[in-house]
Amino acid sequence: MKKISKQFSLFVLVIGLFFSCGLKTSEKINSTSVNKQIKERKIKRIKEPNIVEKGYAIGTTISTSFNQETPCGTIALTSMPDSVSQFLNKVWIACASPSNEIEKSLWDAYHYNIKNDYALNSNIQKIHLSKTEDAYLYSFPYLSDGKLRILQVELNHKALVLALY
């Protein structure tokens, strides 16, 4: 009799714990919310062509809204549209052959196109600012009074990636 009462009390205790803990916690979990959070926290891989495409779109937005009568030199970032200002490191108009190697090669390529009656097209390319920092250089060439000018837009790599995430 003592053996049965001990087993019965142990059985009641186990069942009591099971019902008190197990059933109520399952009601508190919102599975759709948990699944949504898991998807949001999933690591995404953003590929280089997607970053370049985003940068090109931003550069095109700037080049279509900018005044080609703007004098050569640096352009204030505050004059840029608010929708793109977070992506910009700097903006300037080059009117002479620059000293930077990449910008000089672009300058020479655009002069070659002018000399051979080829179209002047916008360009974007990745540049290395330092060992740990990258950016994208968007170039928009145009002629003003028969002289080549290039709108240069340096886009922040990190901001472009975060916009795609």
Side-chain angles (χ1 to χ4, degrees):
M1 187 76 159
K2 287 184 181 182
K3 203 177 208 185
I4 293 174
S5 69
K6 283 183 182 179
Q7 288 178 350
F8 180 73
S9 60
L10 183 61
F11 176 73
V12 170
L13 181 64
V14 170
I15 295 296
L17 285 173
F18 176 73
F19 281 111
S20 67
C21 296
L23 294 177
K24 290 185 181 179
T25 56
S26 63
E27 293 173 5
K28 294 179 184 177
I29 296 174
N30 183 350
S31 61
T32 56
S33 174
V34 170
N35 287 335
K36 183 179 177 184
Q37 287 181 11
I38 289 171
K39 288 179 184 177
E40 287 176 356
R41 294 179 186 182
K42 197 173 198 177
I43 296 173
K44 294 180 182 179
R45 182 171 185 218
I46 298 173
K47 297 184 180 181
E48 191 74 22
N50 297 344
I51 301 169
V52 170
E53 185 178 312
K54 179 72 174 174
Y56 193 83
I58 292 168
T60 302
T61 300
I62 293 169
S63 66
T64 57
S65 66
F66 122 95
N67 180 3
Q68 293 187 0
E69 299 300 319
T70 304
C72 300
T74 304
I75 299 173
L77 296 179
T78 55
S79 67
M80 295 294 119
D82 290 337
S83 61
V84 299
S85 62
Q86 69 199 37
F87 301 104
L88 306 177
N89 286 346
K90 63 181 179 176
V91 180
W92 71 99
I93 298 175
C95 296
S97 182
S99 60
N100 180 301
E101 184 180 327
I102 292 174
E103 294 172 36
K104 183 169 177 24
S105 66
L106 282 169
W107 183 267
D108 293 340
Y110 287 134
H111 268 289
Y112 178 84
N113 286 1
I114 292 169
K115 182 180 174 185
N116 293 299
D117 292 325
Y118 294 133
L120 294 175
N121 297 320
S122 300
N123 180 329
I124 188 166
Q125 53 190 289
K126 189 174 189 176
I127 58 174
H128 303 288
L129 301 177
S130 66
K131 289 182 180 181
T132 58
E133 188 179 5
D134 293 330
Y136 289 88
L137 181 65
Y138 175 85
S139 303
F140 174 74
Y142 63 98
L143 294 174
S144 178
D145 297 326
K147 295 180 182 178
L148 176 65
R149 288 182 167 200
I150 305 173
L151 171 67
Q152 303 276 26
V153 180
E154 186 179 295
L155 300 162
N156 186 307
H157 179 265
K158 184 177 180 179
L160 291 172
V161 170
L162 290 175
L164 293 171
Y165 193 76

